[in-house]
Amino acid sequence: MKSIRHVPGVPERPAGQALPDGAYAGAGVGQASAAGDGKAGALPGEAAGTLLIAKDLATGWGKKKNKIILSKGISLQISGGRLSALVGPNGSGKSTLLRTLVGLQPRLGGEVLLQGKPVESLSAEERARNVACVFNERLDAGYFTVFDMVAFGRYPYTDTRNSLTGEDLAQVERAIAAVGMTAFSRRAFSGLSDGEKQKTQLARAIAQNAPILVLDEPTAFLDAPSRMEIFDLAGILAHEMGKAVVVCTHEVDLALRSADEMWVMDREHCFLSGTPAFVSFSGAIGRAFASSRARFDPASGTFRMDRRHPRSS
Amino acid sequence: MKDSNEGGRWRTWGPLLLAAMFLLFMLDLAYGSVKIPFGEVLRALFGRSENQGWNTIVQVFRLPKAITAILAGSALAASGLILQSIFRNPLAGPDSLGIGSGASIGVALLMLATGTSGTSLFGSLSVPGYAALVLAASLGSGVILAIILLLSRKFEHGVTLLIIGILVGYFAGSIVSLIVYFGSPQKVQQYLGWTYGSFSGVRMNELPVFAIAIACGLLLTLRSSKALNAFAVGENFALTLGIQVKRERTRLLAAAAILAGSVTAFCGPVAFLGIAAPQAARRLFRSSDHHVLLPATMLIGVLISLVADIISQMPQGGSILPINPLLALIGAPFILGMFIRGNGAAPRDAGGSP
């Protein structure tokens, strides 16, 4: 346990100051690795902030016999201070990839190194101290307040009685403040709006004090301002708090505007990574979301109705 | 989870419920076919009453029965709470694991195999007959428990397990009804007697066995009440907090099954308590923290079972009413009333955006 490197709670970095441009260099065209490339082990040199490395990863379902491989040959790395967005059409295997990456689902090939160690060698608690996930799942919070829900983030650190120390309480308060929910902290979680619930979940992930944050469709069911807020928070977590943030999302336009790196999966479960500009202008996003009615416009980063195929009715 | 509000609720309700429990315990000792004055009960309990008959009645018959009611009430309530939280389903209870059905098969087979004749109710069974009954019920629920635990390691989702539990229950139920169909009327009568449930079968020297079984179940539960909190919120939620979902779930299922199984073995299938008590505790204490809920649920379970036991003595004709129908008869309207009054107030029902 001691050998696990820890990114301390909130690294001191002046607010609003993003990482220098040079830090993005690794995400260039050179790093893009198409799926099916069996020898994708050749990654660029490990950057100092690299927290997680996946090599030639295969994801899917099932065990040794009759296993269904969704995607294979995926190689990527996750570093502190960067926001990576995973986009792709429904059923392309985004959630499966995320769950496999953080060791919550067995992988069907390749390897994943978390803090330099095989992810499966970590105990559940060690994993939770290194990766905080927010899944899109209906939560039965009962009578738990916002504070209670955020305090769950301290689980990997507390004893079996779950007694919170003064430091634990302070971390919970800070996490609630970081998402701007301090005024709500005594409210019942189940009475919140979906946007407020999602922010509370983000605060819980912050309180978990893990260097890697994985958010699975955090903007589903949210209205437009709340969606922007969540992406804004994700950006702050990455660029100001120095976390490695991975967001799986359907908000392609928001992702292109706020992410440092894009991961694109298409309907054939092929994986490609690169800067927002690269995946837009190389046509990767257009191909992944190919549709007869909508067309991706790289210049604006949005989808447009395709008038070349008017409605037949 | 350190909420002063919950602490406050304990300070008001805790002593009140404990006082009610003591009062009901004394009432339970006082009531019966022979009515003993309330003041004399305490003295008879320690063998100090002038009336030797009262001493014997309280010490030999009513004390073990009252203790059995307390043990059974707390164990079933705890078991119900565990299952409702694991499956995130307010309707889950000891019966949804098929534990009761497993015990039923054991008992029905025993009835079929042995030629024991005689009356149906527990009290009139001979001592070896009763021991065989407990053994058969334990074996039956143990086999079902083993099946459920094996499957719980194999399947990822709680809902799947719930469905399996219910299916196992149907399966066991049909075996029992086949046995009953081909059984002689006398044996069927005997089996039916068991299904009515009773707290009066456990004798003083058997109580330690019963108590130890329940203590084991409770210890297992206490070790996992942290995990139980996270389970109750969500399965993936628990997973991301570093809880070993499968291991903890297996441990908690084992605890729930030991608790419910031992009660079923000693007292018959009195499962209703397991569904009712956690509901009442959640609403009364307005808490979802299992460090609060577990003792609260057990206390309420004890109150319900003591009330039911007292009412079962009510007719002064010397006969006692069967406990199982009584529990649902009193409990169901009570819980229903709570649902109707608390409608909208319970955050569990609120959900969605305002």
Side-chain angles (χ1 to χ4, degrees), chain B residues 29 33 83 101 103 107 115 136 151 187 218 226 238 287-288 291 341:
Chain B
L29 292 181
S33 51
L83 295 171
S101 326
V107 172
L151 290 173
K187 285 171 182 168
L218 287 180
K226 178 175 164 180
S287 172
S288 293
H291 295 109
R341 259 191 309 126

Side-chain angles (χ1 to χ4, degrees), chain B residues 24-282:
Chain B
L24 287 172
F25 180 68
M26 297 307 289
L27 268 176
D28 199 21
L29 292 181
Y31 263 108
S33 51
V34 177
K35 195 161 187 271
I36 300 174
F38 207 68
E40 284 290 304
V41 170
L42 208 60
R43 241 178 291 170
L45 190 56
F46 298 103
R48 299 255 177 79
S49 175
E50 310 277 302
N51 188 329
Q52 273 309 314
W54 288 356
N55 283 344
T56 314
I57 287 173
V58 170
Q59 285 181 324
V60 178
F61 295 103
R62 295 197 187 161
L63 185 62
K65 187 167 66 79
I67 295 177
T68 303
I70 289 177
L71 288 175
S74 56
L76 283 176
S79 167
L81 177 68
I82 296 168
L83 295 171
Q84 290 183 6
S85 294
I86 288 185
F87 296 129
R88 277 183 303 287
N89 187 330
L91 283 180
D95 260 1
S96 24
L97 277 190
I99 301 295
S101 326
S104 307
I105 294 187
V107 172
L109 281 175
L110 177 78
M111 300 288 175
L112 193 73
T114 60
T116 43
S117 55
T119 46
S120 53
L121 286 174
F122 276 81
S124 44
L125 273 179
S126 60
V127 175
Y130 180 69
L133 196 65
V134 170
L135 201 67
S138 309
L139 276 176
S141 50
V143 167
I144 297 292
L145 164 67
I147 293 173
I148 297 277
L149 289 187
L150 276 176
L151 290 173
S152 85
R153 293 208 143 271
K154 193 170 164 62
F155 288 102
E156 205 78 40
H157 297 292
V159 184
T160 322
L161 274 181
L162 194 57
I163 293 168
I164 288 169
I166 291 168
L167 284 178
V168 168
Y170 275 121
F171 185 74
S174 63
I175 289 181
V176 168
S177 59
L178 277 179
I179 293 175
V180 166
Y181 183 76
F182 289 111
S184 69
Q186 218 170 32
K187 285 171 182 168
V188 169
Q189 183 73 16
Q190 218 173 11
Y191 170 76
L192 279 179
W194 177 77
T195 63
Y196 281 133
S198 166
F199 291 149
S200 53
V202 190
R203 284 162 186 83
M204 209 58 182
N205 59 343
E206 291 154 355
L207 268 179
V209 182
F210 190 27
I212 287 169
I214 287 171
C216 287
L218 287 180
L219 277 178
L220 271 176
T221 315
L222 279 178
R223 276 187 62 185
S224 297
S225 49
K226 178 175 164 180
L228 210 45
N229 271 344
F231 270 126
V233 174
E235 217 156 80
N236 279 326
F237 186 77
L239 206 57
T240 178
L241 293 176
I243 286 163
Q244 287 175 295
V245 167
K246 282 188 185 175
R247 202 189 69 186
E248 293 286 347
R249 192 173 58 194
T250 305
R251 183 185 286 170
L252 283 163
L253 283 178
I258 289 170
L259 289 169
S262 51
V263 176
T264 311
F266 281 97
C267 311
V270 278
F272 177 77
L273 243 169
I275 297 177
Q279 301 284 347
R282 263 189 263 272

